[in-house]
Amino acid sequence: MIKMNSLFKKCIHSVVTSLVDKCAPAATVTTCSTIAKQRSHGYSNNDVFDDGHCPPRILITGSLGQLGSGLAALLRERYGNENVVMSDIVRAPKHILEQGPFLFADVLNLKGLREIIVNYEIDWLIHFSALLSAVGEQNVPLAMKVNIEGLHNVLEVAKQYRLKLFVPSTIGAFGPESPRNPTPDITIQRPRTIYGVSKVHGELMGEYYFHKYGLDFRSLRFPGVISPDAHPGGGTTDYAVEIFHDALTTGHHRCFLAPDTRLPMMYITDTLQATMDFLEVPSEELSMRTYNVTAMSFTPEELAEEVRKYVPQLEVTYVPDQRQAIADSWPQVLDDEMARREWGWKHQYDLEGMCRIMFERLIPKLKENEKQQSARKEC
């Protein structure tokens, strides 16, 4: 344990030195909270918009996943705490409960969903509940229930109560027959994972409900999402999060993809901002219901080289596993020109900027964890 602590401190010192050297006076880090403040003065529960309408009341399913809590924070700053209801099937930590409404909500329980929509007067439904790619392949029946049956329930309540519905999609919705560099919005989609199949199903069902019933369905195909706040959740792009933790703790990363595997990625702030922007576009201004969005594309080798600018001693071993076949069927570069042209999507973080902010956010977290571990040992 003494050796581990010494390595941790050495890595932290190296990264802090690199960050100081790299941060020019003009370089600033924009947080999710700052972005929301720049976009709006914010709304309390009783405020109204300029056109006389009240802020929407929003339900987020699967909100304890990678995107849910961050999006809830943005939406609450924009529309008011009580107007954004988080939900999941697992127990929420104390800090989540203190921030605003949280409910148990099982997307497989249609009656329960209806009760929440009615009791909380929900206007928008953001549906994050899903099993990711690698986890879904390990339990296909469960993935079918959560990703497909759950979606059917969400579509039905959204249709019945005339809700605006957002369901994220993924680069996993494409397959080996899709053009990979770049991959356009509309092309052949023949995914080879149950996760991808369920997402294509969701895109098509949402578009069907839009044309058949007038449902305001919206979806964004996200690439790999990189965040300092969420632990890997069973996705094929998780290596791009794990490598930062490994660099700062053990100094060694075992990568489950080959070094030249190129995949599209986004930093989480960009992911959340894209979602916020997309939700606020008037429906009649959208030519499609599903859009590609992305920020950068890189390989594990390219990411490792950027990380070594902060942790020069990082060692990476490449041991591809079953996720390699999944990655090889996915896009290398996403074409998101339609999103940029139609509703002004623009990313903020490239590879260099993403690595800088990841270390800036992770170092305090790891230091705090180290203190807590030391305190427990003393007890």
Side-chain angles (χ1 to χ4, degrees), residues 155 159 162 203-218 283-284 286-289:
L155 284 167
K159 179 193 76 173
R162 307 300 297 173
E203 292 178 15
L204 294 176
M205 288 296 294
E207 188 170 336
Y208 173 78
Y209 270 63
F210 168 72
H211 290 293
K212 178 75 172 179
Y213 304 111
L215 174 65
D216 187 354
F217 171 87
R218 304 173 185 220
S283 183
E284 62 271 15
L286 302 174
S287 68
M288 304 183 297
R289 308 320 297 182

Side-chain angles (χ1 to χ4, degrees), residues 15-299:
V15 176
V16 170
T17 302
S18 298
L19 287 170
V20 171
D21 292 340
K22 290 176 181 296
C23 291
T28 59
V29 177
T30 305
T31 64
C32 294
S33 176
T34 302
I35 290 173
K37 287 178 180 177
Q38 290 172 347
R39 288 171 52 82
S40 168
H41 295 299
Y43 292 87
S44 69
N45 299 326
N46 297 318
D47 283 334
V48 296
F49 292 101
D50 292 338
D51 60 4
H53 289 87
C54 293
R57 293 184 61 82
I58 304 164
L59 173 66
I60 306 175
T61 69
S63 66
L64 296 183
Q66 187 181 27
L67 301 180
S69 59
L71 185 60
L74 277 180
L75 290 168
R76 282 171 172 167
E77 190 160 1
R78 173 85 167 112
Y79 300 117
N81 277 9
E82 297 304 312
N83 289 323
V84 181
V85 181
M86 297 178 65
S87 71
D88 214 306
I89 60 171
V90 297
R91 186 172 182 174
K94 183 178 179 181
H95 73 276
I96 292 291
L97 298 175
E98 292 173 345
Q99 292 169 1
F102 181 89
L103 301 173
F104 173 88
D106 183 354
V107 296
L108 299 179
N109 182 347
L110 181 57
K111 182 177 181 291
L113 285 177
R114 285 181 173 135
E115 289 177 351
I116 293 172
I117 299 301
V118 171
N119 291 339
Y120 287 83
E121 301 179 283
I122 299 300
D123 304 299
W124 296 4
L125 177 52
I126 298 171
H127 179 55
F128 282 149
S129 297
L131 265 65
L132 299 183
S133 56
V135 173
E137 290 306 290
Q138 296 169 9
N139 194 336
V140 173
L142 180 61
M144 290 176 64
K145 287 181 68 67
V146 175
N147 294 8
I148 297 178
E149 292 182 29
L151 172 76
H152 291 176
N153 288 339
V154 164
L155 284 167
E156 277 301 302
V157 297
K159 179 193 76 173
Q160 181 177 357
Y161 297 104
R162 307 300 297 173
L163 310 180
K164 179 184 292 186
L165 175 62
F166 176 80
V167 181
S169 189
T170 168
I171 53 174
F174 298 104
E177 290 84 7
S178 307
R180 301 185 65 205
N181 188 359
T183 305
D185 288 285
I186 300 176
T187 187
I188 186 171
Q189 293 177 256
R190 293 292 185 272
R192 299 287 178 85
T193 66
I194 188 60
Y195 176 60
V197 169
S198 68
K199 287 301 184 181
V200 174
H201 177 77
E203 292 178 15
L204 294 176
M205 288 296 294
E207 188 170 336
Y208 173 78
Y209 270 63
F210 168 72
H211 290 293
K212 178 75 172 179
Y213 304 111
L215 174 65
D216 187 354
F217 171 87
R218 304 173 185 220
S219 183
L220 294 176
R221 293 192 192 102
F222 291 134
V225 177
I226 302 168
S227 168
D229 300 317
H231 294 288
T236 301
T237 57
D238 280 353
Y239 85 89
V241 176
E242 292 171 354
I243 191 171
F244 292 96
H245 291 269
D246 292 343
L248 289 171
T249 54
T250 67
H252 176 262
H253 173 63
R254 181 184 173 96
C255 185
F256 53 73
L257 296 182
D260 60 348
T261 307
R262 185 172 301 279
L263 291 169
M265 302 278 186
M266 293 177 78
Y267 184 61
I268 190 166
T269 297
D270 282 334
T271 308
L272 299 177
Q273 192 59 54
T275 306
M276 284 285 291
D277 291 347
F278 188 49
L279 283 168
E280 295 181 337
V281 178
S283 183
E284 62 271 15
E285 294 182 12
L286 302 174
S287 68
M288 304 183 297
R289 308 320 297 182
T290 300
Y291 292 80
N292 293 343
V293 287
T294 190
M296 64 192 107
S297 288
F298 54 77
T299 67

Side-chain angles (χ1 to χ4, degrees), residues 239-240 243 252-262 298-308 314-321 324:
Y239 85 89
I243 191 171
H252 176 262
H253 173 63
R254 181 184 173 96
C255 185
F256 53 73
L257 296 182
D260 60 348
T261 307
R262 185 172 301 279
F298 54 77
T299 67
E301 191 171 43
E302 290 169 348
L303 177 58
E305 285 304 306
E306 192 65 33
V307 171
R308 288 193 184 101
L314 173 67
E315 297 180 0
V316 180
T317 303
Y318 297 97
V319 186
D321 63 15
Q324 184 66 51

